Amino acid sequence: NESSIGRICKLDRILQKYFNNSNLELQFVADELHVSVRQLSRIIQKQYGCTYREKLLELRMIHAARLLSTGLSITEISYEVGYSSLSAFHAAFSKYYGMAAAQYRKEKLLPEG
């Protein structure tokens, strides 16, 4: 269905644009797509195989991992990807990647000396 493909593309654009907004709520995204929260939840589950929160977490963590290769501090990265609390970012990153952000930066991104 062409309209559902367009909706998925728009959903991707919205999530990519706003994922770092710490207050990004499902209702805002649903309003942007002109669908109900329930419809949006079903669309996300069908398209990505996960919940809205899981998709948002994935986008934030992928972006955070990329930013670890820059000169930004972990505190700056946490705010950049939408966390208003450094401890919440640390908990999410550790759970997602199985290690702290500083450890990830050291092990995955810095060349062996």
Side-chain angles (χ1 to χ4, degrees):
N1 182 332
E2 195 171 324
S3 68
S4 66
I5 292 170
R7 191 173 281 149
I8 296 300
C9 291
K10 187 172 183 183
L11 171 61
D12 281 336
R13 284 194 305 274
I14 291 166
L15 292 175
Q16 289 294 330
K17 182 175 181 180
Y18 295 109
F19 76 90
N20 60 350
N21 178 333
S22 62
N23 297 314
L24 184 61
E25 294 296 328
L26 188 59
Q27 184 65 59
F28 171 81
V29 179
D31 291 347
E32 288 289 304
L33 290 173
H34 309 291
V35 297
S36 70
V37 167
R38 188 171 178 178
Q39 278 180 288
L40 179 57
S41 294
R42 282 195 299 254
I43 291 167
I44 291 171
Q45 186 65 49
K46 184 176 180 183
Q47 180 65 24
Y48 304 116
C50 62
T51 67
Y52 169 74
R53 289 279 166 217
E54 290 166 340
K55 183 62 181 172
L56 197 53
L57 174 67
E58 175 188 48
L59 290 170
R60 288 175 172 171
M61 292 299 104
I62 289 169
H63 194 65
R66 284 189 195 126
L67 289 175
L68 285 169
S69 66
T70 70
L72 292 175
S73 72
I74 291 172
T75 301
E76 291 169 318
I77 292 168
S78 73
Y79 294 120
E80 183 69 29
V81 299
Y83 285 87
S84 52
S85 157
L86 183 58
S87 61
F89 171 76
H90 278 301
F93 193 95
S94 294
K95 186 174 180 184
Y96 192 84
Y97 285 108
M99 65 180 74
Q103 183 183 358
Y104 184 96
R105 175 181 267 165
K106 184 178 178 185
E107 289 184 14
K108 304 274 188 201
L109 302 174
L110 295 180
E112 293 287 324

